[in-house]
Amino acid sequence: MPRDRYRGRRARRHDRGLPDRRGRPGEAIAAEGGLQQRPVEHVLVTGRGAAADAAARDAAARMGRLPEVASVSAPVRSKDGSAVRVDVTLKGSELQGKEHVEPLRAQTAAVQAAHRGVRVEETGSPSISKGVGELRDDDLARTEMIALPITLVTLLLVFGSFAVAVVPVVLALTSIAAAIGLSMLASHVFPDAGVGASVILLIGMAVGVDYTLFYLKREREERARSGGRLDARAAVETAAATSGRSVVVSGLAVAASSATLYLADDVIFSSIATAAIVVTLIAVVSSLTVLPAVLAKLGGWAERRAVRRGRTPKPPRTGGGRITRAMLRPTGRHPAVTLAVAVTAMLALTAPLLSIDLTDMGRDSHPREIPAMQTYDRLNAAFPELKAMHQIVVRADAGRADEVTASLRALAERAEGDPLLAGTSELRTSPDGRISLLELAVPHHVSTGAARRSLERVRGEYVPETVGRLGVETAVTGDVARYADYPEHQEGKLPFVIGALLLVTFAMTVWAFRSVVLGLIGVVLNLLSA
């Protein structure tokens, strides 16, 4: 179920609206003036001399004729002379870039075929985004191919009946299919960042199988207790009256716990929460309606088949297995020691949390098996100024446009000699003169200490000493700011998410078991296990 097979309202990965020190999201200000980032592809020609120049000119000419292209830059040669690049800006938003990148790839391949003496390749945000999506789809398809057979074989070994073993898998798959369809509607209210299908697949398989096992175990217990005298329909009705409540409580607990992710104020976590809630609730509804009917039909079919063959249906075996009994035996004999050992082990597993380093997803962490990422690394080696950038955004009255421009130019001049920066800049102003944006190139990857120090210098020195003196609204955003601000934002939200999760756990446990003590135990166990 590849992610791009369904469409809904998508959200840009970095459109989080993280506030700057002045409290207004920098990217939102830039977008207000039409200065938001555009989808840009880079055609990289590796080679020296006239052959590389000819290939670059050919690429620029071909790209300029494409209807998807808004503008094409003149060829730019690297400082060491080993490569030439052509920057191609696509039409539309940055999010739409990957949908229009294929014609550009085709032209890049045509240029390579026509100029075999040099290497011609293409990279950029659209290519990388498309490559990441294709890799995710491949991984998801591989997960389907592995998870389904393993689940089916495991259930077959447990139940010894193909008809019974296939029921949990069918319930899970139908819940997943329905959840993906419903998520298309939900995405118009809760934007999906592209992870919804993966979450639906994983959680759908888990809860679909889990809820089916609730019924099957309870139905077998009832038939065994009656010595096989209870028919299939009666056993399923009894199971539905007891296990059905467990399914409802479990499903509501999963949904309520997942909803706490909305407090993270992040499109990725919101997508995970929406997907988890949708697929869980669908699985609950299916377990209360379709599943009992299927089990009753299967049980009746098995009974009639046994009667036709002149045999009496044997009551199913119940009780814990040998492994379960072996694991529970020490607990029953030495509960205090078992508790101490288990808690110590869980605390030991928690130890790495003390050194956790929260970061943002970015090109530094994308798999290098993606061809566009391999080209991206070669592009950065030849043109280090493309690794990252700072964006200083200013919002002021149109009458102060000249004053703002002068201050930003002064900032660019100060930054030109900074060894932490590349020394190149670009200044743009909105048509109405209210929004101005200065881009400063950073020759360091966003995850490096040098990039972080350059951001601190821009925010702490250059902005306050230049445009900051004008008393206008300013914000510093860009690649490095995104990478630095996002973990800080999430660290601030994390206590609220954890607190809400524990509160939900406590409330659901008390409601289900009418016991405050069990509610507190549930909180402790949830905190330890999570």
Side-chain angles (χ1 to χ4, degrees), residues 56-298:
R57 289 193 298 269
D58 187 14
R62 290 173 182 266
M63 297 297 180
R65 293 192 291 267
L66 295 176
E68 296 84 2
V69 172
S71 63
V72 180
S73 73
V76 179
R77 181 166 285 279
S78 62
K79 292 182 180 180
D80 61 3
S82 63
V84 183
R85 83 170 195 267
V86 177
D87 301 332
V88 184
T89 303
L90 281 70
K91 295 178 181 178
S93 65
E94 189 177 17
L95 176 64
Q96 298 171 329
K98 64 180 180 181
E99 301 174 3
H100 306 298
V101 76
E102 281 305 322
L104 280 73
R105 285 180 171 183
Q107 293 301 322
T108 299
V111 174
Q112 177 64 88
H115 302 270
R116 298 189 177 277
V118 295
R119 181 166 62 186
V120 184
E121 49 194 342
E122 181 181 337
T123 189
S125 296
S127 290
I128 293 174
S129 179
K130 190 174 183 65
V132 171
E134 291 172 347
L135 182 63
R136 184 185 296 129
D137 289 346
D138 292 341
D139 291 342
L140 186 58
R142 191 178 302 112
T143 300
E144 293 174 345
M145 296 299 295
I146 295 174
L148 293 180
I150 291 178
T151 302
L152 186 58
V153 170
T154 302
L155 293 173
L156 184 60
L157 293 175
V158 171
F159 294 110
S161 169
F162 180 81
V164 177
V166 81
V167 170
V169 177
V170 171
L171 178 71
L173 291 180
T174 53
S175 298
I176 290 169
I180 288 181
L182 188 58
S183 68
M184 289 191 293
L185 298 176
S187 66
H188 291 279
V189 180
F190 304 99
D192 178 25
V195 300
S198 302
V199 174
I200 287 174
L201 173 67
L202 296 175
I203 295 184
M205 285 297 297
V207 297
V209 172
D210 196 23
Y211 295 165
T212 307
L213 294 182
F214 281 176
Y215 271 87
L216 289 173
K217 185 176 187 301
R218 185 64 176 142
E219 185 260 352
R220 288 193 162 197
E221 287 176 348
E222 289 300 323
R223 294 186 65 190
R225 185 176 300 161
S226 68
R229 293 185 300 272
L230 195 65
D231 62 22
R233 179 166 184 159
V236 170
E237 289 177 352
T238 304
T242 53
S243 293
R245 182 176 185 274
S246 300
V247 168
V248 172
V249 172
S250 174
L252 292 178
V254 173
S257 300
S258 300
T260 62
L261 290 176
Y262 288 122
L263 297 176
D265 190 25
D266 177 90
V267 67
I268 295 293
F269 292 116
S270 296
S271 300
I272 295 174
T274 302
I277 292 171
V278 169
V279 72
T280 301
L281 294 182
I282 287 179
V284 169
V285 173
S286 300
S287 300
L288 297 178
T289 56
V290 178
L291 180 59
V294 171
L295 293 180
K297 284 291 184 182
L298 284 177

Side-chain angles (χ1 to χ4, degrees), residues 309-352:
R309 295 185 177 184
R311 295 182 302 180
T312 302
K314 295 181 180 180
R317 292 176 300 176
T318 60
R322 288 177 297 177
I323 297 178
T324 303
R325 290 195 297 268
M327 293 182 64
L328 291 179
R329 193 174 298 119
T331 305
R333 293 177 178 175
H334 310 286
V337 175
T338 303
L339 177 63
V341 171
V343 171
T344 302
M346 297 180 81
L347 289 176
L349 293 174
T350 307

